[in-house]
Amino acid sequence: MVIIVLIKERGRFPSVFYRLVAIFGVQEVICYLFNQYIQRWPTSEFVYIHYFYQLQIPTKIQVVWYFVYFYTQLQGVLAATILAFNRVSCILFPMHHDTMWRKNLPLVLAIYYVAPFGCYWTLLFNKGVVECDNGTGMDKQCYFTYDHSNTFGISVGNNSKYAFISLSVISGVCNFTTLFLLCLRKKSLRIRRNWKQEINLFITSFVIFLAHFAYGLVEQTVPAFYRTSKTASTLIFGVILPLLYDVVLASTVLSLIIASPKIRQEILYIFGEPFGLNVTRQTKTVTMSPSKF
């Protein structure tokens, strides 16, 4: 709903921050769908019997879905970093912030779409496969992986780990710098009536960072202790991580809805009208200073 509102009513949300949120939101939805396919569905006995049982033989096409999942997952961490940069630059350069971001938006998006490919390109030269612990008599103890036939001496796991650590550190520094600057300039922001707006946008950025950081931390550390057990791997990859990603997506959406009264109003206006909800919509155009973006 939030993505639909931000795209459909983009004239009412002119800031680059919300444009980035809409773009990154599409990635989050794609990642969530592939999360179901790669992690959750192989643990379902029904889905296994009707589909995944045939994937115990490595196939080329399946590794594409595996690649897309990890590609979009890293995009999520990168998105949190970009939003953190956006907020800290807003405080540091309030007068030129929006112009600067609009001018460099194509470059930012190019990095956003190209950079994750550098971490996972070797996956495309392998084959996807579903591994199951058939020895237990429970075929549903399965998880998705790839056959490691062509690694080119490059560790996808290490690339993912280093990228996650680097982006998380940068994002964390930017978020805490933003918080420090907000506290430092609280008085001037209150005078310009920008305080509440900036706090709301910061909260959104910080929650997105925190959600992806927590998920990535669990994914990067916990599975390493249980690689030798297919049962434990199935539990982690098929149950725990998908549930955590549910929390990530829910946290992201709720942070946007809670932090922005205008988004709440637009959601009620667009989606409440068919159900007979009479929602008053603000039609007055307000000129906002660049620091609000």
Side-chain angles (χ1 to χ4, degrees), residues 93-140:
F93 312 105
M95 300 305 297
H96 307 287
H97 166 262
D98 196 54
T99 303
M100 180 177 64
W101 273 89
R102 289 183 188 278
K103 182 179 179 180
N104 294 286
L105 189 58
L107 176 61
V108 172
L109 293 179
I111 294 172
Y112 173 71
Y113 287 111
V114 173
F117 184 82
C119 285
Y120 301 119
W121 64 271
T122 57
L123 284 175
L124 297 174
F125 293 89
N126 296 272
K127 294 181 179 180
V129 62
V130 171
E131 293 189 358
C132 299
D133 191 5
N134 294 322
T136 64
M138 297 177 64
D139 287 338
K140 66 179 180 179

Side-chain angles (χ1 to χ4, degrees), residues 23 67-68 101 132-133 144 161 166 171 175 194 202 211 225:
I23 294 171
F67 166 81
V68 173
W101 273 89
C132 299
D133 191 5
F144 215 107
K161 180 172 64 177
S166 301
S171 184
N175 275 292
N194 291 357
F202 165 74
F225 297 102

Side-chain angles (χ1 to χ4, degrees), residues 171-184:
S171 184
V173 169
C174 288
N175 275 292
F176 285 109
T177 301
T178 302
L179 180 61
F180 173 76
L181 292 174
L182 282 173
C183 294
L184 195 65

Side-chain angles (χ1 to χ4, degrees), residues 86-94 97 178 181-182 185 189 198 291:
N86 180 273
R87 297 328 306 153
V88 74
S89 64
C90 175
I91 305 299
L92 291 173
F93 312 105
H97 166 262
T178 302
L181 292 174
L182 282 173
R185 301 183 180 181
L189 288 171
E198 294 297 343
S291 62

Side-chain angles (χ1 to χ4, degrees), residues 136-284:
T136 64
M138 297 177 64
D139 287 338
K140 66 179 180 179
Q141 291 186 353
C142 303
Y143 63 94
F144 215 107
T145 184
Y146 66 103
D147 63 358
H148 298 78
S149 56
N150 294 292
T151 62
F152 300 96
I154 299 173
S155 172
V156 171
N158 286 339
N159 285 352
S160 180
K161 180 172 64 177
Y162 296 146
F164 168 75
I165 292 173
S166 301
L167 292 173
S168 296
V169 169
I170 294 171
S171 184
V173 169
C174 288
N175 275 292
F176 285 109
T177 301
T178 302
L179 180 61
F180 173 76
L181 292 174
L182 282 173
C183 294
L184 195 65
R185 301 183 180 181
K186 180 178 179 180
K187 185 176 180 180
S188 62
L189 288 171
R190 281 188 179 277
I191 293 174
R192 296 202 305 267
R193 298 182 180 180
N194 291 357
W195 171 253
K196 187 175 181 180
Q197 172 78 6
E198 294 297 343
I199 285 294
N200 286 341
L201 294 181
F202 165 74
I203 289 173
T204 298
S205 173
F206 186 73
V207 169
I208 292 173
F209 154 70
L210 206 60
H212 282 90
F213 175 75
Y215 178 83
L217 188 65
V218 173
E219 186 184 50
Q220 295 292 334
T221 57
V222 174
F225 297 102
Y226 300 97
R227 290 288 185 185
T228 56
S229 171
K230 285 187 171 65
T231 301
S233 296
T234 299
L235 177 64
I236 293 168
F237 290 114
V239 179
I240 296 176
L241 289 180
L243 284 175
L244 282 176
Y245 204 83
D246 292 344
V247 174
V248 169
L249 201 61
S251 300
T252 302
V253 173
L254 286 175
S255 68
L256 286 164
I257 294 175
I258 293 172
S260 176
K262 188 184 289 187
I263 288 180
R264 294 199 300 270
Q265 184 188 57
E266 290 298 322
I267 289 175
L268 289 174
Y269 180 82
I270 294 174
F271 296 98
E273 193 174 22
F275 297 97
L277 293 177
N278 187 16
V279 180
T280 303
R281 188 185 196 187
Q282 291 181 357
T283 56
K284 183 180 179 181

